[in-house]
Amino acid sequence: LPDEHASISGLAVEGDRIYATDFNSGDLLFADYETGKLVQSYGWLPDNKTRMKALGVSYYKDNLYVSDVAAGKIRVIGALEYKDARDEGELVLDFPSGKASEFALGYPTWSMVTPDGRLLVSDAKSGQIKVFSCNGRSAYLFENEGLATLHTPMGIAMDSTPSPAALQAKNAKVFDPSGINDQGRIHVVDAEMGIVKVFDPLGKYVLTYGHELRQPNGIAIDQKKRLIFISDTKLHAIAV
């Protein structure tokens, strides 16, 4: 950690790097996997006047997708240096660009990239999961009515179990060039309601669990062992 006042929120691990966000400073941290020592930190935007307020971070194909809650944007930051092309920690792009659209982000908390390259973003202000392509184009919204309603979506994770509807679509030989119907279900933590809601790969509600939780935030799934790990602020524990 950079100092004793750091408040680590987002976390991603890839190769020889640990990537974390310090919510107190708003910085994105790069640390060495073997030693845990801080290698570099990034907080200033290219204008050298504006700082990020980073909360969540996810990794996909040499890029980091950082939730900047102050600006209501996803910052895409290069995780690796490409010779004569870009530096480590360089801002590649940010999105969304407009504020009037239903895809505007009021308070983006967590993000997750699916195997086919869709970026799922939890927006705690609107209570929605908003889906973008990895280059920032808006795609669609998760179902958000009735049992599917989310109040304060936070952590997102994917399991390895296709939903029944997805399996039916596969059996019906629905055109699916990206293999979305073979992917697992999406688990979304609702911190305000203290539960986890599960959606199929395209965002249709499947089920709810975790009623014994109090204020869950983060979630990770071990697909091989079929175990779900949920951090709970009020329980001061990891629920398995």
Side-chain angles (χ1 to χ4, degrees):
L1 299 181
D3 60 60
E4 61 183 3
H5 301 294
S7 177
I8 302 302
S9 51
L11 191 66
V13 179
E14 184 69 26
D16 62 354
R17 286 286 187 265
I18 299 172
Y19 305 101
T21 56
D22 177 358
F23 189 66
N24 278 351
S25 68
D27 288 350
L28 172 65
L29 312 176
F30 287 39
D32 180 75
Y33 181 87
E34 295 294 335
T35 65
K37 291 183 177 180
L38 183 67
V39 175
Q40 188 56 276
S41 65
Y42 302 93
W44 294 100
L45 296 179
D47 62 7
N48 290 320
K49 297 179 181 179
T50 309
R51 286 191 64 84
M52 290 194 302
K53 188 66 172 176
L55 177 60
V57 60
S58 57
Y59 183 101
Y60 183 72
K61 291 189 175 180
D62 301 338
N63 286 317
L64 297 164
Y65 292 80
V66 181
S67 305
D68 185 344
V69 297
K73 290 182 179 292
I74 298 297
R75 310 283 188 185
V76 185
I77 296 174
L80 299 176
E81 177 183 357
Y82 294 162
K83 187 177 181 180
D84 300 324
R86 77 178 192 195
D87 296 326
E88 179 188 77
E90 181 177 330
L91 179 65
V92 179
L93 65 98
D94 53 28
F95 60 88
S97 56
K99 293 186 177 180
S101 165
E102 63 179 345
F103 286 91
L105 297 172
Y107 199 89
T109 53
W110 260 260
S111 66
M112 188 202 79
V113 182
T114 64
D116 62 296
R118 289 170 294 142
L119 181 73
L120 314 182
V121 181
S122 295
D123 186 356
K125 185 173 183 179
S126 66
Q128 293 181 309
I129 303 299
K130 301 180 179 182
V131 185
F132 301 85
S133 67
C134 279
N135 62 2
R137 292 189 177 185
S138 55
Y140 61 93
L141 304 174
F142 269 34
E143 182 182 357
N144 195 32
E145 295 182 353
L147 293 174
T149 301
L150 293 164
H151 293 262
T152 308
M154 298 289 281
I156 312 176
M158 176 180 278
D159 65 23
S160 57
T161 305
S163 64
L167 289 173
Q168 290 174 8
K170 181 180 178 181
N171 293 335
K173 297 183 179 180
V174 173
F175 182 65
D176 183 22
S178 297
I180 292 175
N181 287 324
D182 290 328
Q183 297 176 18
R185 304 167 299 178
I186 310 298
H187 297 235
V188 181
V189 172
D190 190 327
E192 182 178 341
M193 298 300 291
I195 51 177
V196 181
K197 296 197 174 183
V198 182
F199 299 83
D200 75 9
L202 289 174
K204 185 176 180 180
Y205 174 78
V206 177
L207 59 91
T208 298
Y209 70 91
H211 296 283
E212 65 275 20
L213 301 171
R214 294 181 63 188
Q215 190 176 332
N217 289 284
I219 182 170
I221 297 177
D222 185 330
Q223 296 190 4
K224 292 183 178 180
K225 295 183 178 179
R226 297 174 63 85
L227 292 174
I228 303 168
F229 301 85
I230 301 170
S231 58
D232 192 303
T233 303
K234 286 190 175 180
L235 290 177
H236 304 289
I238 302 293
V240 184

